[in-house]
Amino acid sequence: MSNAHYEQHGKVAVIRLDNPPVNGLGHELRRGIVDGIKRAEADDAIKAIVLIGSDQVFSGGADIREFGTPKMVVEPNLHTVIHFIETCDKPVIAAIGGTALGGGLELAMACHFRVALPTAKIGLPEVKLGLLPGAGGTQRLPRLVGLEPALNLIVSGESVPAGMFMGTQLFDEFIQGDLLVGALAFANKVVDEQRPLKLARDLKVEHPKAEAFFLWARTGIAQRAKNYPAPLKCVDAVEAAVNKPFDEGLQIERRLFAELLMSEESAALRHAFFAERATSKIPDIAEDTPTREIKSVGIIGAGTMGSGIAINFLNAGIPVTILEVKQEALDRGVAHIRSVYEGRIKKGKMTEADAEQRMSLLNTTLSYDDLKDVDLVIEAVFEDMGVKEQVFRKLDEVCKPGAILASNTSTLDLNKIASFTKRPEDVIGLHFFSPANVMRLLEVIRGEKTAKEVLATAMQLAKKIRKTAVVSGVCDGFIGNRMIARYQTEALLMLEEGASPQQIDRAIENFGFVMGPLRMADLAGGDIGWAIRKRHYAENPDMKRMVIADRLCEMGRFGQKTGAGFYRYEPGRRDALPDPEVDRVIEECRKELGITPRKISDKEIVERCVYALVNEGARILEEGIALRASDIDIVYLTGYGFPVFRGGPMFYADRVGLMKVARTMEKFAKRPGVTNSDFWQPAPLLAKLAAEGKTFN
Ligand code: 3HC
Ligand code: NAI
């Protein structure tokens, strides 16, 4: 069955795009459009053609799943569809309600006329996939709306309300009321008035100082787009719209699109697009699993995390009650929340009235009785099993049946926490990342007994508070922190072996991480890692000590908050300054360990840190802690500053080649003086996939 439906309304043919969920312009739909146009052309009773989608979406653009497959180019490809429209001798009118993105908007721009609901959303988001509009968008949009607005839309990839382009040639009419009724009326008017057919290709882009504008645009974009080739190529393509005849411009756009389609960056960004959407699919949880309604939330602990977590719910319009042990702690938490809103008001991102409205949803209490009616409680007290036990026993006593009891613990055993209650099926982990009101990632920890309904509710709630939720099983550190511990360990070992903090951070930042491992440790607070190491030393007395990091902590150097860590910090500043005292400590520790420092290459730094993530990621995957490799990638892209243009650690390993990655690990395992050769044995899953020539993703 075709997914473009043909209907006749008097003298107008309507071709309705119907390829859910987003009317992606896959092969079937493209063929349906062309067939519809041919049929309308052949029918003398038809005088005009309307292309329309659903109320939600005109078209989300080319079907990205076809990219890199023969289906993408098989006839009729998108260029052919557009050619059919442009050469049709009857007026073709695009009627846009909902979203028209990428190839969807390009299809509309090739039509003779366009009408839209003012609320429709339009955009050319290809740049976000490491691409540029490849079906004439870079040539037609500047002709229809002018050079500067077109370049802004193309380079930003943002979607905007169609109404923003009122008064330009992009839209001939805005429809109030029913889109189809309005589009048919417009089509009849075009026919009755015998309006000449208009094509964007026949327009010229006028700009008084185009050359200077492109120079300025390139300078700014080059700075911002460092590791991403697409934005500058967008400028090249748009420049052709100004300087070249239309068809030559199209050729240039096509060539640039093909180059980008082959780029590593685009492959990584497309992987991230689908990976992010896959996180919400849990194999044993059907989409129609019932969920519980969350109309109010209780939070235990108004510290760093508790107050940050509260902001998410206030922003979503959900009332929050925070409970603390002391009034001062409550006051500090409330002051923090208020200061976040004040900061946003100062930056012009929020009005005072909005802030007041959100603050009015916040209640504070010292008494558990005030939590007896809430639908969800999130515990964010000290990371101590004894304290968690007290809290969960109390919650079990006071909370209403059906309330979800969540812990924000970052390392403790969630199953044990659940066992403190008589309703472990209602207990779940909601692991927010700091600052909790800013970071997109939310690890949702599924305990042994967590009910499906509770998990489904948490995933749904995550969307409501605009988090990217990734499901993790229970283990020490869950997905993200368990892997980062391996990465940090490699950084610390390389300090012992001969690298400096600056060299390690520089190598990792050049790879594309937002921040190197030692600067990150200084930001997070050295005491947190130290507390975890001490717990590990106690659990496993023979394990290797991280002497340099421990020594710095013994000296009270906990990073930025104490003005000194692996670097020193001037009061009130965040710049990490090299510190001769750290060099002295490193040298002293090397002597005690009997290590003669060696020169370590940047390549080794990157491989050891990144492959440490990959090997632990592979173990996490084979243990079933993560549902899929792409979930691990999303954890790293949204929570740990892994370079997005590399697609996440597992995708990166796939691109390097798992055999090569495994061989390098084996080499690390055999290095003279290696202290963690067991760790460097490739994880069985990695070894198996490598041997079979397969990939994680
Ligand atoms: N191709 C294939 N699948 C697509 C798609 C596309 N262009 N856009 C969305 N999908 C899929 C998603 O993967 C998801 O699949 P799933 O249900 O299996 O997980 C499903 O459609 C629904 O997507 P969302 O969850 O994102 O739905 P929303 O309603 O939240 O958002 C949207 C809808 C705004 C259209 C959003 O999906 C989106 O931004 N899509 C990408 C748009 C885009 O980048 N278009 C450009 C494509 S490239 C192009 O057109 C090249 C051309 O210039 C030649
Ligand atoms: P914090 O020390 O800033 O805040 C903890 C708060 O809990 C304090 O205000 C304290 O008064 C309160 N509290 C302690 N015992 C209590 C009790 N019995 N009843 C009510 N309130 C009590 O700690 P932070 O950083 O907010 O951490 C909280 C939890 O979040 C911990 O489990 C931690 O592991 C986890 N976490 C921390 C992250 C971080 O980066 N700080 C990141 C992710 C999770």
Side-chain angles (χ1 to χ4, degrees):
M1 203 179 87
S2 166
N3 39 25
H5 307 297
Y6 187 93
E7 300 158 13
Q8 188 170 345
H9 293 255
K11 54 189 175 214
V12 182
V14 171
I15 301 173
R16 190 181 281 281
L17 317 188
D18 180 20
N19 182 24
V22 301
N23 284 336
L25 291 159
H27 178 241
E28 283 292 299
L29 181 55
R30 298 194 304 263
R31 206 179 53 197
I33 298 173
V34 168
D35 288 349
I37 290 175
K38 282 185 183 163
R39 183 167 160 191
E41 274 192 310
D43 185 345
D44 286 343
I46 296 295
K47 304 295 177 201
I49 303 162
V50 167
L51 280 183
I52 194 167
S54 68
D55 286 349
Q56 288 76 37
V57 61
F58 175 74
S59 166
D63 185 338
I64 311 165
R65 289 176 208 274
E66 284 186 353
F67 286 8
T69 74
K71 268 197 159 179
M72 182 184 179
V73 284
V74 79
E75 290 289 357
N77 61 38
L78 196 48
H79 299 284
T80 309
V81 179
I82 284 176
H83 180 70
F84 264 93
I85 293 174
E86 277 195 325
T87 53
C88 181
D89 53 11
K90 298 178 180 174
V92 184
I93 298 136
I96 303 176
T99 32
L101 300 180
L105 182 60
E106 293 177 291
L107 184 76
M109 288 193 288
C111 293
H112 303 108
F113 301 95
R114 283 157 298 279
V115 297
L117 297 178
T119 49
K121 281 268 182 83
I122 60 157
L124 292 171
E126 286 87 343
V127 75
K128 294 188 176 175
L129 301 171
L131 298 168
L132 51 73
T138 63
Q139 306 305 297
R140 290 191 180 88
L141 191 63
R143 286 175 162 82
L144 291 166
V145 304
L147 175 56
E148 295 192 26
L151 191 70
N152 278 341
L153 200 71
I154 293 170
V155 170
S156 71
E158 293 305 328
S159 316
V160 298
M164 233 178 91
F165 290 100
M166 209 174 267
T168 70
Q169 305 210 50
L170 186 54
F171 295 107
D172 296 278
E173 201 169 291
F174 282 97
I175 307 285
Q176 307 296 335
D178 185 82
L179 180 63
L180 180 61
V181 173
L184 289 172
F186 180 82
N188 281 304
K189 201 160 52 182
V190 167
V191 175
D192 296 345
E193 293 172 7
Q194 298 185 340
R195 289 199 197 174
L197 304 188
K198 302 185 298 171
L199 287 179
R201 61 158 57 231
D202 298 330
L203 302 170
K204 212 173 151 27
V205 191
E206 305 286 356
H207 193 284
K209 290 184 183 146
E211 206 174 320
F213 171 69
F214 282 119
L215 190 66
W216 171 83
R218 278 205 173 86
T219 314
I221 291 168
Q223 265 172 15
R224 275 178 281 135
K226 238 173 50 196
N227 293 305
Y228 297 83
L232 276 178
K233 290 206 195 281
C234 289
V235 183
D236 294 347
V238 171
E239 194 170 30
V242 179
N243 296 334
K244 308 275 183 201
F246 184 82
D247 285 314
E248 211 175 304
L250 270 192
Q251 288 308 318
I252 291 173
E253 179 196 86
R254 257 191 183 198
R255 176 174 54 77
L256 295 172
F257 179 85
E259 281 171 25
L260 289 172
L261 190 60
M262 301 298 289
S263 70
E264 282 298 310
E265 293 81 3
S266 176
L269 290 168
R270 280 179 279 139
H271 165 69
F273 176 85
F274 288 117
E276 187 155 0
R277 282 155 181 83
T279 56
S280 58
K281 299 181 174 75
I282 309 167
D284 65 329
I285 299 204
E287 278 190 22
D288 58 357
T289 303
T291 53
R292 299 184 190 171
E293 209 176 350
I294 306 296
K295 287 192 293 195
S296 58
V297 174
I299 293 177
I300 319 286
T304 313
M305 295 308 290
S307 54
I309 293 169
I311 295 172
N312 293 291
F313 292 97
L314 300 176
N315 289 349
I318 301 176
V320 172
T321 304
I322 307 194
L323 178 144
E324 260 287 352
V325 274
K326 288 202 183 108
Q327 187 60 40
E328 302 89 85
L330 275 179
D331 295 343
R332 259 199 313 275
V334 173
H336 172 69
I337 297 173
R338 193 171 279 285
S339 75
V340 167
Y341 285 138
E342 277 164 5
R344 293 187 63 78
I345 295 170
K346 263 199 204 120
K347 286 187 188 150
K349 292 189 170 166
M350 185 179 221
T351 64
E352 279 188 34
D354 281 344
E356 277 321 308
Q357 195 272 330
R358 290 178 201 189
M359 288 303 291
S360 73
L361 298 172
L362 180 64
N363 300 298
T364 58
T365 185
L366 298 171
S367 159
Y368 275 86
D369 284 345
D370 291 326
L371 299 182
K372 66 182 180 353
D373 294 323
V374 295
D375 301 312
L376 161 72
V377 184
I378 303 174
E379 162 281 308
V381 302
F382 300 137
E383 188 73 338
D384 176 288
M385 196 53 106
V387 186
K388 306 272 187 207
E389 175 168 2
Q390 256 177 29
V391 170
F392 274 81
R393 287 198 189 285
K394 193 74 196 164
L395 288 175
D396 195 25
E397 224 174 275
V398 299
C399 288
K400 67 178 182 188
I404 295 177
L405 310 181
S407 172
N408 182 48
T409 180
S410 29
T411 51
L412 300 177
D413 180 350
L414 184 82
N415 294 328
K416 188 154 182 204
I417 294 178
S419 76
F420 300 139
T421 73
K422 289 189 269 323
R423 39 174 138 174
E425 66 283 0
D426 289 338
V427 177
I428 194 165
L430 291 179
H431 184 215
F432 288 82
F433 287 72
S434 183
N437 53 310
V438 176
M439 298 295 289
R440 260 168 66 209
L441 178 62
L442 175 66
E443 280 183 329
V444 175
I445 318 302
R446 181 179 193 171
E448 244 165 35
K449 298 195 174 144
T450 306
K452 288 184 178 181
E453 197 178 300
V454 170
L455 184 55
T457 305
M459 299 304 283
Q460 193 184 55
L461 186 66
K463 281 200 179 132
K464 195 154 183 193
I465 60 170
R466 310 171 79 120
K467 296 286 173 194
T468 301
V470 177
V471 178
S472 169
V474 177
C475 66
D476 193 346
F478 312 122
I479 299 174
N481 284 345
R482 175 169 155 186
M483 286 166 66
I484 209 74
R486 297 297 190 173
Y487 161 96
Q488 291 281 4
T489 298
E490 284 312 304
L492 295 176
L493 289 175
M494 284 187 280
L495 278 186
E496 289 178 3
E497 291 168 34
S500 67
Q502 296 85 298
Q503 191 203 350
I504 293 175
D505 284 341
R506 207 180 323 110
I508 291 295
E509 285 159 22
N510 284 341
F511 175 78
F513 266 91
V514 175
M515 203 181 274
L518 303 167
R519 283 215 297 143
M520 188 169 95
D522 273 1
L523 175 68
D527 48 337
I528 296 183
W530 195 30
I532 296 172
R533 285 199 300 280
K534 283 195 282 192
R535 178 163 63 79
H536 288 164
Y537 298 155
E539 285 165 5
N540 186 359
D542 293 337
M543 87 182 265
K544 161 143 180 58
R545 278 15 183 196
M546 290 297 139
V547 216
I548 297 171
D550 292 351
R551 185 77 42 93
L552 292 172
C553 286
E554 283 154 17
M555 294 161 72
R557 300 182 65 118
F558 294 151
Q560 284 191 20
K561 62 181 163 191
T562 55
F566 290 100
Y567 296 91
R568 65 184 184 85
Y569 299 86
E570 298 286 347
R573 307 212 38 158
R574 286 168 175 270
D575 315 74
L577 305 169
D579 190 345
E581 182 62 8
V582 175
D583 298 340
R584 189 194 62 72
V585 169
I586 292 176
E587 214 179 295
E588 180 184 280
C589 293
R590 283 178 188 154
K591 272 203 192 116
E592 286 169 22
L593 293 165
I595 293 174
T596 311
R598 68 182 171 92
K599 199 169 161 7
I600 298 185
S601 69
D602 286 2
K603 179 168 177 274
E604 178 176 341
I605 293 172
V606 168
E607 285 181 342
R608 281 176 61 182
C609 287
V610 176
Y611 292 176
L613 293 176
V614 173
N615 213 18
E616 196 64 20
R619 293 196 174 110
I620 282 175
L621 201 54
E622 68 198 4
E623 287 169 26
I625 297 293
L627 290 173
R628 47 181 88 78
S630 65
D631 279 8
I632 298 178
D633 288 333
I634 289 298
V635 166
Y636 267 76
L637 296 177
T638 57
Y640 291 85
F642 195 96
V644 181
F645 65 92
R646 296 195 193 272
M650 310 312 275
F651 181 80
Y652 176 71
D654 284 345
R655 303 301 278 197
V656 171
L658 296 190
M659 185 53 91
K660 194 166 163 197
V661 171
R663 289 231 170 98
T664 309
M665 288 181 182
E666 283 159 0
K667 202 177 73 194
F668 290 152
K670 291 188 194 125
R671 234 184 32 242
V674 65
T675 50
N676 58 349
S677 83
D678 279 357
F679 170 72
W680 280 119
Q681 299 307 322
L685 174 69
L686 169 57
K688 179 170 171 286
L689 292 173
E692 293 170 354
K694 291 189 177 152
T695 55
F696 287 121
N697 280 290

